[in-house]
Structure formats: structure tokens, C-alpha cells
Amino acid sequence: MRARIASLPAAVLLVLGALVVGALAWVPTASAQDAPRVHARPAQSGGRAQPCPSVDGPKCHVRLRTGIRMAYAEVGPRRGKPLILLHGLTDSSRSWSLSMRALHRLRPNLHIYALDLRGQGASSQPKKQACRSHPERCYEMKDLAADVVAFMDTQRIRSASIAGHSMGSFVAQEIGLRYPRRADRLVLVASSTTGVNNPTLRDFVLPQVEGPWRNSLVAQGHSWPQDAYARTPLDADPNAVEWMKQSWDADPVAPQPLVNAIAAETALVPLGTWLGETRALLGTDNTRRLRHLKIPTLVLWGAQDSIFYGTDQHRLVKALTRAARGKGSFAWKQYGARALPASGFQESDIGHNVQWEAPAKVARDIASYLRTGRPTKDLYRTDHPDDIHHIVTEPGAARIISRR
């Protein structure tokens, strides 16, 4: 997603540049009798196809002990090493669809799950009455992380590698911090240490939800936020899909068919989810907690990220460096070579939606990291401002920071 907000201080890139160096037993959360009932068709064993391998087909569903009916897609052998993919704010498993396909080609031995987090895609919203009045109490990162761990229990997964994009990266952080025995490795794409006072959330998303969309629904006779909890942007604005494509899911580098499909789904995400997750993220700060992270972590960041800036990366690298003095380790890699323009908008290089824009390259780096503990050393960038859909590779030129 790309919001039309803010700019990146040029000094930040100099700070990051100075830091660059060369690339470098299951504890279930519920007893057996408390285990949730699985409603999905059982995954097939061996190398045979899974029953829900694509986000374009029917998804599998499972009822979690957290009360959520979670939808997901999966590929790979049942006994393969598990990798779980988590999407960003108001997205769905489609956000990872291209990278998931590329990863499956590169590492057919992986068992890859792409989840729809609560209230998004085909997954249900939390149904507690209190959620309607205060949605943020039901969409905290600990709630989303509990869903993922509950999902792992239904699939009998002791531990997995967890990859999260944007908000999903905060969920991945929460799993690594709160349930460290359930995560082997973390991959944080377009991440930060905190959402507190984030300009995109504070000055763009929240005013849209609590402004035009709220006013429209109230004018229709709906109470706020109770009646709006299960209503969607399309209920508030019949042109919501176009708004998504132009202002929220807008991306000059990603394939337009992918952007169009994501925009159509995003316009159907309940406003309770929009409101709950945005407020929850604005209250999330892991800056100090991440210093104690023990899980090996890969961070991928686009140079024209207009949501989490270079200053966010500096804080993230600092926190992970502190963690690496204990038992942790990390690698941070930049995609793209052109800094965010003064306009504050992504224009000519890789930005916030790294796995939309360079899905095969992200798959290569994740596959490399899972295998060796390091991403590839190649730099990926757009070729020319007039041909921004063309991603080129500069062998060995990536900007990488690592500590092992």
C-alpha cells in the first residue's frame, strides 16, 4: 500500500550507508482436549497438490480457539519445512501470492501457508460485542499473533519460519517475542520498530476512516462505530475500489492486475478491521522489546518506502544490533537505489510493497536466508524512471547490514 504522505530525510540514507557491511520441542498452547476443530479438508501428504494452493481458488478454512474462522492457501509437501506468510494492513493472502508461487518453484520442499488475518480476505472478524465499540481492543498485535499460533496448533506445526509484510511484520515480531519457541526465523518486509505517530496511519488512514466513510454511514442512519463494524468502504462510498487503486493500494511498480485484484478485496474489508488495526498499530512500540529478540531475522526494505522511512530502518537496525549481542542475529537488505523523492511519493523505484514489486527477487532472498542465514548479495532496482516496471539486477551490489 502507498499513502500520499511525508518525505525521507536525505541524511538518513547517509547514516544507513555508513552502516553497510558485507553480507555476512514443541510447547502447545492448549491441551489435546482443548484443540480447535479443523474445518478444512486435510492437506494431502507427500508431493501431491494441496487442496487450496491458490488465492484465486477456494481457500481452506479452519476454526481457531481464538474464535476466528481463518482462511488460508497452502502449497508444498505436508512434511515440508513450514513457512507462514502474513500480509499487511487491510490486505489478504493475495499480497504474497506472487512470491509464494516463486518460492514454491525455488524450494518445492517448503510447506508454505499464506494466511488471511482476522477480518481480512475470507477470514472472520472477532465477534465479541466489545469489539464493536472499541475495535482496537480486538486487533492488537498480540491478538493477531495468537491467531497465528492457534493456526499452527491446528496444523500440528511445532515451529515455523514467519514472514510478514508491513503490519504483518509487527505480527511476526510479536510471535518472535511472545512465542519464541514457535518461530525458527523471521522475515520482516517493509517493517519498523513502532507504529506510534506514523504519519500514514495518523494523518491519512485514520482521517479517511473517521472522516468521509464515517460521515457517509452516519448520514445513512448507522451508529458509529457499532453499526459500522461490519460495514465496508463500499457501503460508505460506491467508488471505493477506485479510491483504493489511486490512494491506498496505488503502486507504480507492481503489476497492475495484482493491484486491481487487491484493491477490489480491500474495498470489502470491514471498517471495524480498518479502525481496529490502525488504532492498534498507532499504539504499538517494540523499540525496546526488539532488543531482546532471539530469533534470527531478515529485514527487506525498499528505498522508496513512503510508510516506513529510513529513520525507521535506522532504529530497527539499532534494535536488532543490540539483540545480536545476545543470542540473536540479523541481516538487513535494501531494495532499490533511488531515495524517496521530495514529494514523499514512491515514483521511480522499489517502495513499501516489496513483495508485490519484485516477487521473484524476494523469493530468492527468503530462500537464500532460510538455507544459509543470509540474503543474496544482489541489488534489485528499477531500470529507469521511464520504465519503472522493469526490475534489473546488479550482482553483488546490494546494501546489506548484518550481524551474526
Side-chain angles (χ1 to χ4, degrees), residues 60-261:
C60 289
H61 290 83
V62 64
R63 182 72 66 179
L64 306 179
R65 64 173 172 274
T66 57
I68 300 301
R69 185 173 185 265
M70 177 170 279
Y72 63 97
E74 62 174 326
V75 293
R78 185 64 182 173
R79 294 183 179 86
K81 179 177 175 56
L83 169 64
I84 297 175
L85 307 175
L86 307 175
H87 60 78
L89 176 67
T90 74
D91 289 342
S92 73
S93 52
R94 186 177 299 278
S95 178
W96 279 99
S97 58
L98 300 184
S99 284
M100 182 179 183
R101 189 181 309 154
L103 261 169
H104 183 51
R105 288 195 297 265
L106 285 170
R107 293 285 304 276
N109 61 319
L110 290 176
H111 191 157
I112 308 173
Y113 300 86
L115 308 186
D116 287 353
L117 296 174
R118 58 171 57 191
Q120 287 142 110
S123 292
S124 67
Q125 288 183 280
K127 298 186 182 302
K128 295 179 181 178
Q129 187 61 34
C131 300
R132 295 181 175 272
S133 299
H134 301 283
E136 65 276 11
R137 297 179 183 176
C138 302
Y139 283 93
E140 294 183 32
M141 299 305 105
K142 65 180 181 181
D143 300 317
L144 277 65
D147 288 343
V148 176
V149 172
F151 172 81
M152 293 171 65
D153 287 345
T154 69
Q155 306 301 303
R156 297 177 173 82
I157 298 173
R158 291 184 172 88
S159 64
S161 297
I162 313 289
H165 170 242
S166 194
M167 182 197 72
S169 75
F170 282 92
V171 181
Q173 291 177 28
E174 191 66 26
I175 294 169
L177 292 166
R178 189 176 290 266
Y179 309 98
R181 297 181 68 178
R182 308 307 297 270
D184 298 327
R185 294 182 187 271
L186 301 180
V187 179
L188 311 179
V189 181
S191 192
S192 176
T193 63
T194 181
V196 174
N197 288 324
N198 180 271
T200 297
L201 300 174
R202 182 193 63 208
D203 302 332
F204 182 78
V205 180
L206 208 56
Q208 177 65 29
V209 177
E210 296 186 323
W213 292 345
R214 172 181 179 168
N215 294 341
S216 174
L217 290 176
V218 170
Q220 296 174 41
H222 302 296
S223 64
W224 184 271
Q226 291 85 350
D227 287 352
Y229 183 72
R231 303 284 175 177
T232 72
L234 271 176
D235 293 321
D237 176 9
N239 296 314
V241 174
E242 286 304 312
W243 185 87
M244 300 298 167
K245 288 192 285 187
Q246 295 175 14
S247 301
W248 180 235
D249 295 316
D251 192 313
V253 177
Q256 195 59 44
L258 176 67
V259 173
N260 292 343

